[in-house]
Amino acid sequence: MNAKLLISPQELTSLLAKKSSQTVIIDTRSQEDYFISHIPESINIRDFFTYLLENSSPTGLKELQEYFAEIMSRVGISGSEQLIVYEDALNKGYGQSCRAAFLLKYLGCAQVSILHGGYRAWLKAELPTTDEVLKRESSIFRLHPNADIMVTTTEMLQAIDNPAIIKLDVRDSSEWLGLSSSPYNPDFCPRKGKIPNAIWLEWHRLMNSELEIPTFRSPEEIREICQSLGITSKSIVYIYCFKGSRAANTLIALEEAGISARNYFGSWNEWSRDFSLPIDNRVISL
């Protein structure tokens, strides 16, 4: 039975009170922020946000799997535990806790949850924090890759001219408009533009980003927004962004609304660097 996808600070507090070794909390923030303060008993794995998939070929995906299997083994996670991931705020870290959740599910972890509202929600609830760094004994992480949730470059290329597959671009407006190649630097990637025949849904739209503690919109609101773009529970949706983070954030929102989707994890960082792949580089206005 899968764990609840989004959990509240209060629900996480209840889990901590059980003192179960089968519950592991993963902080995806920077090490600097983690060392200042964090949720008690959490461990820091920043790599869930920083790792870039060089290519989504079988070789590239095998490297990704082995990279994270080594990290998980080192911090004492086998993959059978209930894993809870969090970031600072859902609209500030480019979806990094959702990226972590996606990667954990891809690696084969069945019990994965996201702290809804992130660390800011935890602080707002006036729950305890610590600067104590938890040490865990190493173990063996058991890989069970789930290819069904991952889109490769080959699959995305095959989907370009297939109207039955929605290519959903969830990047920020400057990237969709062809003015920037990434959220970090306009010229970070060699090409600007978008995947041909993609439609756009900026990731922020599926959250209540204006709130003090940003959270996902209700399933009803998400379905309404998606319906306006022709996306329903019956749609086949491939999501992409720059490196799979905002795509993972969107994937979580869609899943909460009963809409299945897959993440093109390599996203624009991978696609734009392969000059054999087509792009739509028209600079458009909204």
Side-chain angles (χ1 to χ4, degrees):
M1 180 178 176
N2 287 343
K4 185 179 178 184
L5 189 53
L6 299 176
I7 66 171
S8 68
Q10 292 73 23
E11 289 170 320
L12 180 52
T13 298
S14 296
L15 284 175
L16 283 172
K18 294 178 182 178
K19 303 290 184 181
S20 172
S21 62
Q22 288 301 303
T23 299
V24 182
I25 306 170
I26 299 173
D27 183 318
T28 65
R29 300 174 302 153
S30 69
Q31 284 193 339
E32 292 79 8
D33 288 339
Y34 173 77
F35 287 141
I36 292 171
S37 72
H38 50 265
I39 294 174
E41 301 180 36
S42 63
I43 59 174
N44 181 251
I45 307 180
R46 180 62 170 171
D47 304 68
F48 279 125
F49 179 62
T50 57
Y51 184 90
L52 285 175
L53 181 64
E54 292 187 1
N55 68 79
S56 54
S57 66
T59 299
L61 290 174
K62 188 172 186 295
E63 290 176 358
L64 179 151
Q65 294 163 17
E66 292 175 346
Y67 181 87
F68 282 103
E70 192 278 328
I71 290 176
M72 301 286 273
S73 296
R74 188 171 68 239
V75 298
I77 298 175
S78 69
S80 63
E81 302 87 352
Q82 182 171 2
L83 306 173
I84 295 93
V85 294
Y86 73 91
E87 59 186 293
D88 179 52
L90 289 174
N91 69 334
K92 295 296 183 182
Y94 296 106
Q96 66 193 51
S97 62
C98 299
R99 190 181 201 255
F102 171 79
L103 280 170
L104 288 168
K105 284 175 173 285
Y106 171 70
L107 295 170
C109 302
Q111 306 294 316
V112 181
S113 300
I114 298 163
L115 179 60
H116 201 193
Y119 193 54
R120 293 192 189 185
W122 184 268
L123 295 176
K124 178 72 174 178
E126 299 183 344
L127 294 167
T129 64
T130 184
D131 61 0
E132 181 181 352
V133 176
L134 182 69
K135 299 294 184 182
R136 291 175 55 88
E137 292 185 6
S138 63
S139 66
I140 297 176
F141 179 77
R142 304 194 181 282
L143 273 167
H144 300 284
N146 179 10
D148 291 343
I149 63 174
M150 178 80 75
V151 175
T152 66
T153 296
T154 298
E155 289 173 319
M156 183 61 90
L157 181 61
Q158 292 170 344
I160 282 181
D161 295 319
N162 185 349
I165 300 177
I166 295 172
K167 284 69 66 178
L168 186 61
D169 186 322
V170 299
R171 296 174 298 166
D172 293 354
S173 58
S174 61
E175 296 162 86
W176 167 255
L177 295 173
L179 303 174
S180 178
S181 68
S182 83
Y184 307 119
N185 181 291
D187 299 310
F188 187 89
C189 296
R191 297 191 291 172
K192 302 181 181 72
K194 51 189 168 292
I195 293 175
N197 298 323
I199 63 173
W200 182 54
L201 173 61
E202 192 169 20
W203 67 298
H204 280 286
R205 286 188 63 194
L206 300 185
M207 289 183 288
N208 294 301
S209 296
E210 71 283 356
L211 298 180
E212 179 185 0
I213 307 296
T215 55
F216 288 109
R217 294 187 182 277
S218 70
E220 293 76 20
E221 291 176 298
I222 293 170
R223 284 192 289 268
E224 184 177 348
I225 292 170
C226 289
Q227 182 70 50
S228 70
L229 296 171
I231 300 173
T232 70
S233 60
K234 297 181 180 179
S235 299
I236 301 172
V237 185
Y238 290 0
I239 313 174
Y240 78 94
C241 56
F242 167 67
K243 64 174 186 178
S245 283
R246 290 167 290 179
N249 181 288
T250 304
L251 187 149
I252 297 298
L254 295 185
E255 188 170 335
E256 282 290 287
I259 300 171
S260 297
R262 297 173 66 190
N263 187 347
Y264 174 37
F265 192 71
S267 283
W268 192 252
N269 182 63
E270 179 180 359
W271 189 275
S272 66
R273 297 181 191 281
D274 185 343
F275 283 79
S276 70
L277 298 172
I279 64 170
D280 181 348
N281 59 4
R282 292 172 296 171
V283 177
I284 60 176
S285 58
L286 294 177

